Amino acid sequence: MGSHHACGITSAGVAYCWGSNEFGQLGDGSITSSLAPQQVAGGSSFTRISLGEWHSCGLTADGSAYCWGRNFAGQLGDGSTTDRTAPTLVAGGLSFTAVTAKASHSCALTGLGAAYCWGGNVRGQLGDGSLLDRSAPTAVSGGLTFSVISTGRETTCGVTVATAAYCWGEGGFGQIGDGTQIDRTAPTAVAGGLSFEGVSAGGDATCGWTTTGVGYCWGLNNDGQLGDGTITRKLAPVAVLGDHTFNGIDAGRLHALGWTTAGISIAWGFNGQGGLGDGTTTSRNTPVIITPP
């Protein structure tokens, strides 16, 4: 899901997108919005797809990365700042195993765990030690080997093969998790010494789950999006309340979703439009079970 568009991949690897398309983010060669799925142009077979606010990126079976849509900050990674209405190859000739897009930047991991980012960098979210936008992949500094990477609004986080979590970029709400409210232009260790399996950077908050399945969140919390029973921002990880063992958490702009080893889907945070799926529009600062219709 992007801000106003969505995409999916069929079992045959064909990508389809639908929704708003004013910048070409549907990838069908047009700028015409669509209420129904439109096939992404170019004939590539995709294995992964990730959507930013107004752009989309995907990986093919050979590890090639393609992006399309809005490109004002270079978030398509093709060496330009020209919007594209169809998939364009990310520059650099790198082979990736994961790609993630959000807002105005994109990141990816190579098979050896090297992290690269491109696009907007006003808060240091590319992690290359600068505040310069990049229109082609630039290596994240520090020489870390990552197994997971996640882009947030202007923050990026990753988990290394040694299960340590690092974040970089905007930190004004504590979403870096290092105990400060300082922006970081290079990977900075999340406080607490926890062993993470995964991490998800959201709007102004970040969540992750440990190797033992305990959920933690940190950052902005005005709508209860940390799930710790408060609405007070936290500058370091705090445990998500409830006796849940997580195998995944997805942090959104103002709320988070989690799925447990028991097969239960839960959510917490802002609920003014019913995004928590519990049948109400009441925001929650502790997890509630998503109720099927």
Side-chain angles (χ1 to χ4, degrees), residues 61-266:
D62 66 358
S64 298
Y66 290 83
C67 296
W68 55 95
R70 196 175 190 189
N71 197 29
F72 70 95
Q75 59 264 51
L76 302 190
D78 66 344
S80 80
T81 54
T82 303
D83 295 349
R84 308 290 184 179
T85 62
T88 182
L89 183 66
V90 171
L94 295 162
S95 179
F96 296 112
T97 58
V99 66
T100 175
K102 188 70 66 74
S104 64
H105 76 295
S106 311
C107 296
L109 294 181
T110 70
L112 296 177
Y116 288 82
C117 295
W118 56 92
N121 197 28
V122 66
R123 307 304 288 268
Q125 61 263 42
L126 302 189
D128 66 347
S130 81
L131 295 174
L132 299 174
D133 293 352
R134 308 288 185 178
S135 62
T138 183
V140 172
S141 63
L144 297 165
T145 302
F146 290 95
S147 58
V148 174
I149 194 166
S150 174
T151 48
R153 186 174 61 85
E154 289 184 325
T155 306
T156 308
C157 295
V159 176
T160 69
V161 293
T163 71
Y166 287 80
C167 294
W168 55 96
E170 184 182 14
F173 297 104
Q175 60 266 55
I176 300 296
D178 65 342
T180 76
Q181 296 181 87
I182 299 172
D183 292 354
R184 303 292 186 179
T185 63
T188 302
V190 172
L194 298 162
S195 295
F196 283 92
E197 180 178 326
V199 68
S200 177
D204 297 310
T206 307
C207 294
W209 62 102
T210 69
T211 53
T212 57
V214 181
Y216 287 87
C217 296
W218 53 96
L220 189 66
N221 195 28
N222 56 319
D223 289 293
Q225 56 264 52
L226 303 189
D228 69 335
T230 77
I231 53 170
T232 305
R233 74 179 61 174
K234 302 299 191 302
L235 310 185
V238 291
V240 176
L241 294 184
D243 188 18
H244 302 292
T245 302
F246 290 93
N247 56 21
I249 298 177
D250 189 4
R253 181 171 174 267
L254 295 172
H255 72 298
L257 305 178
W259 47 101
T260 73
T261 55
I264 298 172
S265 296
I266 57 178

Side-chain angles (χ1 to χ4, degrees), residues 46-58:
F46 290 96
T47 58
R48 295 173 181 263
I49 198 164
S50 181
L51 309 190
E53 187 171 18
W54 304 108
H55 75 292
S56 310
C57 293

